[in-house]
Amino acid sequence: MSPASDRITNFIAGSWRPGRERLDIVNPSNLDELAGSYSLAGADDVAEAVAAARAAQPQWRAATVEQRSLVLDAISRALFDRKDELARIAATEGGKTIPDALGEITRAAHLARFFAAEALRAPGETLGSVRPGVEVDVTREPVGVIGLVTPWNFPVATPMWKIAPALAFGNAVIWKPSEKTPGISIAVTRLIAEALEAHGMPAALFNLVIGAGPNIGAAVVDAVDAVSFTGSVNTGRRIAVRCAERMIRVQLELGGQNPLVVLGDADPERAAEIGVNSAYFHAGQRCTATGRFIVEDSIHDAFVAAMTERMAALRVGHALLPETQIGPVIDEFQLTKNLHYIDTGLKEGAQLASGGGRLDRPTRGWFLAPTLFTETSNAMTINREEVFGPVASVIRVKDYEEALHVANDTDYGLSSGIITNSMKHARHFQANIQAGMTMLNLPTAGVDYHVPFGGRKMSSYGPREQGRSAIEFYTIIKTAYRAL
Ligand code: UN1
C-alpha cells in the first residue's frame, strides 16, 4: 500500500503508479538539497482514476453513516499519530516552520474528526404537502466523483477541508494537489487509502494525480461531477467557465487583499503584535493574510514604529531550525513575483519602512525580508492586487469612515479586521465590511475549523466551505413526494 520508490507518485484505481516526466523538488530553505523526486501523471491516468472512482462510489454511497464516520475518524487519528513525520515533509518541501506545519496538520486532523461526526447526522426532513394525503421528503445524496484542486501554501488543511466532507457525504475523490508539494500529498493519500481499506472500502474511492493545472487540472475538471478549487483568480475563472459549460457545480476559494483597520484608540503594541502575525507569519503566503493596514492618522506613527521594531526582531531562516519564525517563500517564481511587487511599490511612490529585499542565510534559500510600505495609497498596484508574500502596506486615513471606505474599495472580499476598543465602530465595521470573514482585535489570518470559510466579490464563488455549510456543495437535494 505504500509507494515502492520515490518516483511512484500517483495513486490511481487503488494502486501506486509511476508517472511520466520526472519532477524534482528542491528544499526552499536550502537549494543545494533535493526534497524529493517524483513524477507527473498523464491525462490518461486521470481518465483511469475517474473511471475507477465512478465504479467504487456506489459501494461508498451505500455504506452506513457509521462506516463513513469510522473512515473519517481513522483519517483523523492517522493525522494526529503521524503529525511529526508529516510536518517534516511539509517543512522540507514547502518551507513551513515545524510549529506552523504541526499546527496545520493538527487542524487537518480536527477537520477530519469534525466530519466524522457530521457523517452520522443523516440530513433531511419530512414535510407535509399542500395536497391532502401527500408527504414530502427532502433528502441529500452524494454528488458523485468530486475533483479537488488545491494549493501549496496549506498542503494538508485546505485539501482536508474538501476531502473530509466529500468522503463524509458519500462521494469519491480525484485530488490534484499543487505539483509544488507532492511529498506531503503522497503521505496524506497513503493514510486515506489505508483508512478506507481498513474498513473494507475500495481505495479507488480516493485518487491522487500530480501534475500542472493546464493539463492534469484541466483533465480532472473535464471528467468529474463537481470541482472545488483553491488558488488564483485567473485559474479559478477558467475552471468556473469550463464547469459552467459542462453544467457541473463549482466552488472557488481565490485570493484576497485583506484590510486590517487600526483605529486611534487602539494600543499600538497590541495592534503591531496582531499586525505582524497577520501579514508575515508563513511568509505572508496565506490568502487570509493582511495586505493593507488602514491606520487612523492619530496612531499612524506609533503603529509604524511598533511594527518596524517587531519586524526587525523576526527570525527569518531555514524552516527546520527551531529558532526560525518565518521560513523562505516557496520557490523562485514566488520570490521573483514578490520582488517585482516591491519594485512596483517603490516606483509608484511608496516608502519602505522595513525589509524590501532578499536575505542571505547560511544555506542558499528563497528568503525574503518581511516588508512594510508606508505612505501608500489604496490606488497603488501593491494595494489592488494580491502579493501573496511577506509584503504589506500602511494606508493613512483621517477617521473611521474613511477607513471603512478604503477597506471596502477593493475587488476582493475574503477576510478583514479592525483593531479598536470602540464598541460602536467595531459593530459598525462588522456589519458593513464587504468580506466573508471579519475579525475584531484578531489577525485577518488564522481561522477555526468548524465554522464556514469563504469570501465575497472576486475572493470566492459558490457555496461556503467548512463547518455545517460544507454539506451544500458536497450533497445534492432530492425532493420526494408520496401519496399515502
Ligand atoms: C487561515 O488563515 O488560517 O490559502 C487559513 C489560504 C486559505 C487558508 C487560510 N485557504 O490561505
Side-chain angles (χ1 to χ4, degrees), residues 56-64 67-69 71-72 166-172 196 201-202 205:
Q57 195 255 340
Q59 187 182 342
W60 185 234
R61 175 194 165 123
T64 65
Q67 284 172 309
R68 294 211 287 260
S69 176
V71 168
L72 269 297
L167 291 177
F169 300 125
N171 301 284
L196 285 166
M201 290 295 150
L205 283 165

mmCIF file of all heavy atoms in Angstrom, residues 56-64 67-69 71-72 166-172 196 201-202 205:
data_model
loop_
_atom_site.group_PDB
_atom_site.id
_atom_site.type_symbol
_atom_site.label_atom_id
_atom_site.label_comp_id
_atom_site.label_asym_id
_atom_site.label_seq_id
_atom_site.Cartn_x
_atom_site.Cartn_y
_atom_site.Cartn_z
ATOM 1 N N ALA A 56 -16.239 2.719 -7.946
ATOM 2 C CA ALA A 56 -16.175 2.445 -6.497
ATOM 3 C C ALA A 56 -17.250 3.201 -5.715
ATOM 4 O O ALA A 56 -17.657 2.775 -4.630
ATOM 5 C CB ALA A 56 -14.789 2.828 -5.970
ATOM 6 N N GLN A 57 -17.706 4.320 -6.245
ATOM 7 C CA GLN A 57 -18.553 5.224 -5.448
ATOM 8 C C GLN A 57 -19.883 4.611 -4.979
ATOM 9 O O GLN A 57 -20.304 4.864 -3.853
ATOM 10 C CB GLN A 57 -18.775 6.529 -6.224
ATOM 11 C CG GLN A 57 -19.315 7.661 -5.376
ATOM 12 C CD GLN A 57 -20.791 7.916 -5.624
ATOM 13 O OE1 GLN A 57 -21.319 7.514 -6.658
ATOM 14 N NE2 GLN A 57 -21.456 8.566 -4.679
ATOM 15 N N PRO A 58 -20.564 3.754 -5.797
ATOM 16 C CA PRO A 58 -21.834 3.200 -5.307
ATOM 17 C C PRO A 58 -21.694 2.429 -3.987
ATOM 18 O O PRO A 58 -22.574 2.492 -3.135
ATOM 19 C CB PRO A 58 -22.288 2.284 -6.457
ATOM 20 C CG PRO A 58 -21.669 2.898 -7.673
ATOM 21 C CD PRO A 58 -20.329 3.421 -7.213
ATOM 22 N N GLN A 59 -20.565 1.732 -3.816
ATOM 23 C CA GLN A 59 -20.369 0.993 -2.567
ATOM 24 C C GLN A 59 -20.228 1.954 -1.377
ATOM 25 O O GLN A 59 -20.745 1.702 -0.287
ATOM 26 C CB GLN A 59 -19.115 0.114 -2.691
ATOM 27 C CG GLN A 59 -18.950 -0.816 -1.497
ATOM 28 C CD GLN A 59 -17.674 -1.648 -1.589
ATOM 29 O OE1 GLN A 59 -17.071 -1.790 -2.665
ATOM 30 N NE2 GLN A 59 -17.255 -2.192 -0.443
ATOM 31 N N TRP A 60 -19.579 3.049 -1.617
ATOM 32 C CA TRP A 60 -19.381 4.064 -0.562
ATOM 33 C C TRP A 60 -20.698 4.775 -0.267
ATOM 34 O O TRP A 60 -21.043 5.051 0.870
ATOM 35 C CB TRP A 60 -18.310 5.038 -1.043
ATOM 36 C CG TRP A 60 -17.860 6.095 -0.093
ATOM 37 C CD1 TRP A 60 -17.847 7.426 -0.333
ATOM 38 C CD2 TRP A 60 -17.312 5.919 1.213
ATOM 39 N NE1 TRP A 60 -17.325 8.107 0.730
ATOM 40 C CE2 TRP A 60 -16.992 7.198 1.710
ATOM 41 C CE3 TRP A 60 -17.061 4.805 2.025
ATOM 42 C CZ2 TRP A 60 -16.441 7.403 2.961
ATOM 43 C CZ3 TRP A 60 -16.512 5.004 3.281
ATOM 44 C CH2 TRP A 60 -16.211 6.285 3.729
ATOM 45 N N ARG A 61 -21.427 5.057 -1.312
ATOM 46 C CA ARG A 61 -22.730 5.704 -1.156
ATOM 47 C C ARG A 61 -23.663 4.810 -0.342
ATOM 48 O O ARG A 61 -24.454 5.287 0.465
ATOM 49 C CB ARG A 61 -23.297 5.943 -2.568
ATOM 50 C CG ARG A 61 -24.668 6.487 -2.597
ATOM 51 C CD ARG A 61 -25.229 6.339 -4.013
ATOM 52 N NE ARG A 61 -26.663 6.535 -3.931
ATOM 53 C CZ ARG A 61 -27.329 7.444 -4.614
ATOM 54 N NH1 ARG A 61 -26.722 8.197 -5.479
ATOM 55 N NH2 ARG A 61 -28.609 7.563 -4.447
ATOM 56 N N ALA A 62 -23.553 3.481 -0.563
ATOM 57 C CA ALA A 62 -24.440 2.542 0.131
ATOM 58 C C ALA A 62 -23.953 2.216 1.539
ATOM 59 O O ALA A 62 -24.670 1.598 2.330
ATOM 60 C CB ALA A 62 -24.558 1.255 -0.688
ATOM 61 N N ALA A 63 -22.728 2.619 1.867
ATOM 62 C CA ALA A 63 -22.187 2.321 3.208
ATOM 63 C C ALA A 63 -23.044 3.004 4.265
ATOM 64 O O ALA A 63 -23.705 4.015 3.996
ATOM 65 C CB ALA A 63 -20.746 2.825 3.289
ATOM 66 N N THR A 64 -23.039 2.458 5.462
ATOM 67 C CA THR A 64 -23.802 3.117 6.536
ATOM 68 C C THR A 64 -23.102 4.405 6.956
ATOM 69 O O THR A 64 -21.892 4.577 6.724
ATOM 70 C CB THR A 64 -23.903 2.218 7.782
ATOM 71 O OG1 THR A 64 -22.585 2.035 8.303
ATOM 72 C CG2 THR A 64 -24.529 0.863 7.454
ATOM 73 N N GLN A 67 -20.117 3.558 8.983
ATOM 74 C CA GLN A 67 -18.903 3.156 8.251
ATOM 75 C C GLN A 67 -18.153 4.379 7.729
ATOM 76 O O GLN A 67 -16.937 4.462 7.827
ATOM 77 C CB GLN A 67 -19.271 2.211 7.093
ATOM 78 C CG GLN A 67 -19.600 0.808 7.564
ATOM 79 C CD GLN A 67 -20.155 -0.048 6.422
ATOM 80 O OE1 GLN A 67 -21.082 0.340 5.713
ATOM 81 N NE2 GLN A 67 -19.561 -1.213 6.254
ATOM 82 N N ARG A 68 -18.899 5.319 7.206
ATOM 83 C CA ARG A 68 -18.230 6.527 6.686
ATOM 84 C C ARG A 68 -17.594 7.318 7.825
ATOM 85 O O ARG A 68 -16.492 7.842 7.703
ATOM 86 C CB ARG A 68 -19.222 7.391 5.909
ATOM 87 C CG ARG A 68 -19.695 6.684 4.638
ATOM 88 C CD ARG A 68 -20.016 7.661 3.532
ATOM 89 N NE ARG A 68 -21.237 8.390 3.774
ATOM 90 C CZ ARG A 68 -22.420 8.115 3.231
ATOM 91 N NH1 ARG A 68 -22.524 7.104 2.383
ATOM 92 N NH2 ARG A 68 -23.466 8.836 3.501
ATOM 93 N N SER A 69 -18.321 7.389 8.928
ATOM 94 C CA SER A 69 -17.792 8.110 10.087
ATOM 95 C C SER A 69 -16.495 7.463 10.586
ATOM 96 O O SER A 69 -15.532 8.158 10.924
ATOM 97 C CB SER A 69 -18.847 8.119 11.199
ATOM 98 O OG SER A 69 -18.329 8.724 12.344
ATOM 99 N N VAL A 71 -14.298 5.745 8.896
ATOM 100 C CA VAL A 71 -13.182 6.026 7.977
ATOM 101 C C VAL A 71 -12.636 7.427 8.242
ATOM 102 O O VAL A 71 -11.422 7.632 8.345
ATOM 103 C CB VAL A 71 -13.624 5.868 6.497
ATOM 104 C CG1 VAL A 71 -12.570 6.437 5.552
ATOM 105 C CG2 VAL A 71 -13.887 4.390 6.186
ATOM 106 N N LEU A 72 -13.532 8.408 8.402
ATOM 107 C CA LEU A 72 -13.075 9.782 8.697
ATOM 108 C C LEU A 72 -12.332 9.827 10.036
ATOM 109 O O LEU A 72 -11.322 10.517 10.166
ATOM 110 C CB LEU A 72 -14.277 10.735 8.730
ATOM 111 C CG LEU A 72 -14.662 11.425 7.418
ATOM 112 C CD1 LEU A 72 -13.548 12.327 6.932
ATOM 113 C CD2 LEU A 72 -15.037 10.475 6.307
ATOM 114 N N ALA A 166 -16.240 15.707 1.399
ATOM 115 C CA ALA A 166 -16.528 14.929 0.182
ATOM 116 C C ALA A 166 -16.750 13.467 0.562
ATOM 117 O O ALA A 166 -17.754 12.854 0.171
ATOM 118 C CB ALA A 166 -15.374 15.057 -0.816
ATOM 119 N N LEU A 167 -15.833 12.906 1.356
ATOM 120 C CA LEU A 167 -15.973 11.499 1.742
ATOM 121 C C LEU A 167 -17.118 11.303 2.736
ATOM 122 O O LEU A 167 -17.902 10.363 2.616
ATOM 123 C CB LEU A 167 -14.663 10.982 2.355
ATOM 124 C CG LEU A 167 -13.465 10.845 1.397
ATOM 125 C CD1 LEU A 167 -12.225 10.392 2.165
ATOM 126 C CD2 LEU A 167 -13.763 9.863 0.251
ATOM 127 N N ALA A 168 -17.220 12.197 3.703
ATOM 128 C CA ALA A 168 -18.246 12.025 4.757
ATOM 129 C C ALA A 168 -19.638 11.910 4.161
ATOM 130 O O ALA A 168 -20.474 11.158 4.654
ATOM 131 C CB ALA A 168 -18.194 13.193 5.732
ATOM 132 N N PHE A 169 -19.887 12.641 3.068
ATOM 133 C CA PHE A 169 -21.231 12.641 2.489
ATOM 134 C C PHE A 169 -21.348 11.689 1.297
ATOM 135 O O PHE A 169 -22.285 11.793 0.503
ATOM 136 C CB PHE A 169 -21.643 14.074 2.123
ATOM 137 C CG PHE A 169 -21.665 14.991 3.320
ATOM 138 C CD1 PHE A 169 -20.944 16.181 3.346
ATOM 139 C CD2 PHE A 169 -22.387 14.647 4.461
ATOM 140 C CE1 PHE A 169 -20.951 17.014 4.461
ATOM 141 C CE2 PHE A 169 -22.404 15.477 5.590
ATOM 142 C CZ PHE A 169 -21.678 16.655 5.586
ATOM 143 N N GLY A 170 -20.374 10.772 1.146
ATOM 144 C CA GLY A 170 -20.575 9.655 0.218
ATOM 145 C C GLY A 170 -20.009 9.803 -1.180
ATOM 146 O O GLY A 170 -20.352 9.025 -2.074
ATOM 147 N N ASN A 171 -19.125 10.767 -1.387
ATOM 148 C CA ASN A 171 -18.549 10.965 -2.722
ATOM 149 C C ASN A 171 -17.205 10.250 -2.871
ATOM 150 O O ASN A 171 -16.535 9.955 -1.881
ATOM 151 C CB ASN A 171 -18.301 12.466 -2.959
ATOM 152 C CG ASN A 171 -19.572 13.270 -2.836
ATOM 153 O OD1 ASN A 171 -20.403 13.262 -3.732
ATOM 154 N ND2 ASN A 171 -19.747 13.954 -1.700
ATOM 155 N N ALA A 172 -16.809 10.042 -4.120
ATOM 156 C CA ALA A 172 -15.441 9.626 -4.421
ATOM 157 C C ALA A 172 -14.636 10.881 -4.797
ATOM 158 O O ALA A 172 -15.225 11.915 -5.113
ATOM 159 C CB ALA A 172 -15.431 8.635 -5.575
ATOM 160 N N LEU A 196 -9.450 3.702 4.298
ATOM 161 C CA LEU A 196 -10.536 3.104 3.504
ATOM 162 C C LEU A 196 -10.417 1.581 3.527
ATOM 163 O O LEU A 196 -11.392 0.865 3.801
ATOM 164 C CB LEU A 196 -10.474 3.614 2.058
ATOM 165 C CG LEU A 196 -10.962 5.056 1.839
ATOM 166 C CD1 LEU A 196 -10.537 5.578 0.461
ATOM 167 C CD2 LEU A 196 -12.496 5.146 1.978
ATOM 168 N N MET A 201 -13.385 -0.756 2.507
ATOM 169 C CA MET A 201 -13.843 0.077 1.391
ATOM 170 C C MET A 201 -12.760 0.131 0.312
ATOM 171 O O MET A 201 -11.571 0.078 0.625
ATOM 172 C CB MET A 201 -14.125 1.506 1.886
ATOM 173 C CG MET A 201 -15.332 1.588 2.763
ATOM 174 S SD MET A 201 -16.816 1.174 1.831
ATOM 175 C CE MET A 201 -17.815 0.469 3.142
ATOM 176 N N PRO A 202 -13.156 0.243 -0.951
ATOM 177 C CA PRO A 202 -12.147 0.273 -2.022
ATOM 178 C C PRO A 202 -11.303 1.544 -1.976
ATOM 179 O O PRO A 202 -11.844 2.653 -1.884
ATOM 180 C CB PRO A 202 -12.986 0.236 -3.308
ATOM 181 C CG PRO A 202 -14.374 0.603 -2.912
ATOM 182 C CD PRO A 202 -14.541 0.319 -1.454
ATOM 183 N N LEU A 205 -11.722 4.764 -4.210
ATOM 184 C CA LEU A 205 -12.575 5.926 -3.908
ATOM 185 C C LEU A 205 -11.763 7.206 -3.855
ATOM 186 O O LEU A 205 -12.307 8.301 -3.957
ATOM 187 C CB LEU A 205 -13.248 5.738 -2.544
ATOM 188 C CG LEU A 205 -14.425 4.780 -2.525
ATOM 189 C CD1 LEU A 205 -14.760 4.405 -1.096
ATOM 190 C CD2 LEU A 205 -15.616 5.424 -3.220
#
